[in-house]
């Protein structure tokens, strides 16, 4: 009865694919046939062929998040379970136990997709928090101080949440928070601070400066887990809304607004690492003529095809956006003008070789590219204007080519 109701509840609440296994042998077969696709296991401690927690041991050995849902429970069993990598333990006889399990599954799935930067200068405290967060299935990267944390943030865009002790060896949590907000904006990252309860002003100062949550130590484990999950859940919703707002409605790549919001931060990160970088504007050649000849529907097909091709070539390492009309922008992450020029040449050749099918006719598409180098901190408009000037030269010189400071120097030398 529990299995039927729980399976139905998980499928309805979260749209999950749920496999029911009535024995340890069925569990083994499902995991082996699933090619590692199972993220969470909800399991009883006692199965017909596994009366002594063997199923739990097997699930843990397969690196699957385990949620215990059992009717047989006592204090010694609980102590044994909580010493293992178990997300939570729910007793069948508890009121609303089915709803509780469904909410725990939601928590585990959210945590699995959440990357946490843990900042703590005390090795013992850091190790304890690291173990606790990983037990809740968070993907955690530890840092021993604020400067190391900022370096990790600069070299990776993958973090969703920062959990930091209030007193670090090289700065306070308020100072770290200020740097994070200045560099990455107000809602790109959620920041949680932890501190002993001897000074209640810590919490007020941290929250007033834009902190997301403050947890007093010592804390109950359940309280810590719940607070961190709530922050992670809200952050994921904010990111989903940002993702919708950042996309171009036609091509589904980033739009001009996102390019101007995120671009300056990417430039600052490159310059802080001591790297020069580059920015390019790509313009589809003779696009107005194409629209006038074939109509706007065909023009839209061409824009979608070019955007899809560019997204596959540029990937996630660099920033690609549709700037408007038939113009696309690429902000390179740490490529100097020579490397960026080679990259742009690859883009130009690939697009020129591709064919767009419209009304049973093959259309060839070429692009002109203006490429500018970024060596110092200026307004973002200045970088874009420089690339735009080179783009104008590329069009004037006959289109289907790249113009940059490098190509002009080579032209002068020859």
């Amino acid at each position: 009865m529990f299995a039927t109701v729980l399976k139905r509840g998980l499928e309805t609440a979260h749209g999950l694919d749920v496999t029911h296994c009535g024995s340890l042998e069925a569990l083994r077969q499902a995991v082996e046939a699933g090619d590692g696709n199972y993220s969470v296991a909800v399991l009883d401690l006692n199965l017909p062929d596994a009366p002594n927690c063997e199923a739990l041991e097997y699930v843990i050995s397969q690196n699957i998040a385990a949620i215990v849902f059992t009717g047989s429970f006592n204090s010694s069993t609980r102590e044994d379970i909580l010493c293992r990598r178990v997300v939570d333990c729910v007793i069948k006889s508890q009121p609303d136990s089915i709803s509780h399990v469904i909410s725990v599954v939601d928590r585990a799935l959210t945590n699995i997709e959440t990357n946490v930067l843990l900042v703590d200068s005390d090795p013992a405290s850091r190790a304890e928090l690291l173990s606790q967060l990983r037990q809740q299935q968070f993907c955690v990267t530890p840092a021993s101080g604020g400067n190391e944390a900022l370096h990790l943030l600069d070299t990776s865009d993958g973090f969703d949440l920062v959990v930091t002790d209030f007193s670090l060896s090289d700065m306070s949590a308020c100072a770290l928070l200020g740097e994070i907000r200045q560099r990455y904006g107000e809602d790109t990252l959620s920041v949680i601070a932890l501190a002993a309860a001897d000074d209640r002003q810590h919490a007020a100062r941290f929250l007033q400066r834009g902190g997301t949550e403050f947890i007093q130590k010592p804390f109950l484990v359940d309280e810590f887990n719940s607070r961190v999950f709530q922050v992670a859940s809200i952050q994921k919703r904010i990111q989903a809304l940002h993702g919708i707002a950042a996309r171009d409605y036609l091509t589904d790549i980033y739009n001009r607004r996102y390019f101007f919001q995120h671009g300056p931060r990417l430039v600052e990160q490159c310059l802080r690492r001591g790297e020069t970088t580059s920015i390019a504007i790509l313009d589809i050649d003779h696009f107005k003529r194409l629209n006038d000849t074939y109509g706007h529907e065909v023009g839209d097909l061409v824009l979608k095809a070019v955007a899809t091709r560019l997204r596959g070539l540029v990937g996630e390492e660099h920033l690609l956006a549709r700037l408007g009309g038939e113009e696309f922008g690429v902000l390179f992450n740490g490529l100097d003008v020579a490397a960026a020029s080679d990259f742009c040449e690859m883009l130009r050749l690939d697009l020129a070789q591709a064919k767009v099918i419209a009304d049973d006719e093959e259309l060839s598409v070429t692009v002109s590219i203006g490429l500018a180098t970024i060596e110092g901190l200026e307004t973002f408009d200045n970088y874009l204007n420089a690339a735009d000037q080179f783009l104008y030269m590329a069009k004037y010189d006959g289109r289907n080519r790249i113009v940059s400071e490098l190509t002009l120097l080579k032209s002068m030398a020859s």
Side-chain angles (χ1 to χ4, degrees):
M1 182 272 292
F2 277 109
T4 302
V5 175
L6 185 55
K7 183 176 187 296
R8 173 75 174 174
L10 288 169
E11 291 173 339
T12 303
H14 301 305
L16 301 174
D17 293 327
V18 180
T19 300
H20 171 230
C21 303
S23 65
L24 176 58
E25 179 58 29
L27 169 64
R28 292 183 192 276
Q29 293 177 4
V31 171
E32 290 171 4
D35 298 323
N37 292 329
Y38 292 105
S39 301
V40 177
V42 179
L43 69 156
D44 200 335
L45 292 177
N46 300 319
L47 297 175
D49 55 349
N52 298 309
C53 301
E54 293 93 343
L56 177 60
E57 293 173 1
Y58 177 74
V59 165
I60 292 174
S61 73
Q62 298 299 308
N63 294 315
I64 301 172
I67 299 168
V68 172
F69 184 49
T70 186
S72 60
F73 203 73
N74 55 50
S75 57
S76 60
T77 306
R78 177 180 176 81
E79 184 176 345
D80 177 59
I81 290 173
L82 295 180
C83 289
R84 310 188 190 199
R85 290 179 294 163
V86 174
V87 177
D88 208 341
C89 183
V90 181
I91 310 304
K92 292 179 179 178
S93 59
Q94 289 178 342
D96 298 323
S97 60
I98 297 289
S99 298
H100 189 179
V101 171
I102 292 173
S103 68
V104 175
V105 170
D106 178 48
R107 187 175 83 206
L109 293 174
T110 299
N111 294 354
I112 287 170
E113 299 296 326
T114 302
N115 292 307
V116 177
L117 178 59
L118 172 64
V119 194
D120 196 327
S121 299
D122 181 80
S125 174
R126 186 170 65 248
E128 182 179 351
L129 289 169
L130 182 64
S131 174
Q132 181 62 35
L133 289 166
R134 285 180 173 167
Q135 183 169 347
Q136 292 300 304
Q137 305 305 309
F138 288 106
C139 300
V140 190
T141 301
S144 60
N147 287 317
E148 183 184 356
L150 292 171
H151 173 73
L152 289 168
L153 290 170
D154 269 350
T155 53
S156 172
D157 291 329
F159 291 109
D160 306 296
L161 175 64
V162 177
V163 177
T164 178
D165 190 70
F166 192 84
S167 300
L168 303 173
S169 59
D170 51 358
M171 65 178 70
S172 69
C174 286
L176 176 60
L177 173 67
E179 286 291 328
I180 290 173
R181 293 292 180 244
Q182 180 181 354
R183 296 183 184 189
Y184 310 107
E186 294 300 318
D187 53 9
T188 304
L189 286 161
S190 292
V191 185
I192 300 174
L194 301 93
D198 54 352
D199 187 352
R200 297 183 62 84
Q201 290 298 318
H202 286 336
R205 288 198 298 272
F206 183 77
L207 295 173
Q208 286 168 357
R209 296 183 186 186
T212 312
E213 178 64 280
F214 193 95
I215 303 175
Q216 299 281 1
K217 297 192 294 185
F219 48 76
L220 296 174
V221 170
D222 287 342
E223 175 197 9
F224 176 81
N225 292 342
S226 297
R227 286 179 180 269
V228 175
F229 165 69
Q230 288 300 326
V231 171
S233 180
I234 292 170
Q235 183 63 27
K236 286 297 182 182
R237 292 171 190 163
I238 291 172
Q239 289 172 349
L241 292 173
H242 280 313
I244 295 171
R247 294 287 171 179
D248 176 63
Y249 74 99
L250 178 65
T251 61
D252 197 37
I253 62 174
Y254 288 124
N255 55 27
R256 182 184 183 91
R257 180 173 178 268
Y258 183 85
F259 195 73
F260 272 79
Q261 281 185 335
H262 192 71
R265 296 174 193 167
L266 181 58
V267 170
E268 288 178 9
Q269 290 173 20
C270 290
L271 295 178
R272 277 198 298 270
R273 296 196 299 264
E275 301 172 348
T276 60
T277 189
S278 309
I279 187 170
I281 300 179
L282 295 77
D283 186 275
I284 300 175
D285 294 329
H286 304 296
F287 187 75
K288 184 178 184 302
R289 183 192 305 171
L290 185 149
N291 263 340
D292 292 342
T293 303
Y294 296 98
H296 288 283
E297 288 186 3
V298 172
D300 287 350
L301 285 175
V302 170
L303 287 170
K304 290 178 183 178
V306 169
T308 300
R309 199 87 180 181
L310 287 173
R311 181 167 52 190
L313 295 169
V314 173
E316 297 296 326
E317 182 179 0
H318 309 294
L319 177 59
L320 167 69
R322 182 187 176 198
L323 301 182
E326 68 273 23
E327 283 191 350
F328 298 85
V330 181
L331 179 60
F332 294 100
N333 186 4
L335 294 187
D336 61 21
V337 69
S341 183
D342 291 340
F343 197 103
C344 287
E345 180 65 9
M346 179 269 293
L347 296 178
R348 186 189 69 81
L349 291 173
D350 186 273
L351 291 170
Q353 293 168 2
K355 302 293 182 183
V356 179
I357 307 299
D359 294 336
D360 298 325
E361 183 177 350
E362 283 189 347
L363 302 178
S364 296
V365 177
T366 62
V367 295
S368 300
I369 304 176
L371 176 65
T373 187
I374 299 173
E375 297 178 321
L377 195 59
E378 302 178 32
T379 65
F380 196 68
D381 279 331
N382 284 353
Y383 309 137
L384 209 64
N385 289 337
D388 198 44
Q389 291 298 314
F390 287 126
L391 174 62
Y392 176 81
M393 295 179 193
K395 291 181 178 180
Y396 184 80
D397 287 344
R399 294 183 169 85
N400 191 22
R401 67 194 62 221
I402 303 166
V403 174
S404 66
E405 181 182 351
L406 186 64
T407 62
L408 292 180
L409 290 173
K410 288 181 179 179
S411 177
M412 292 172 61
S414 61

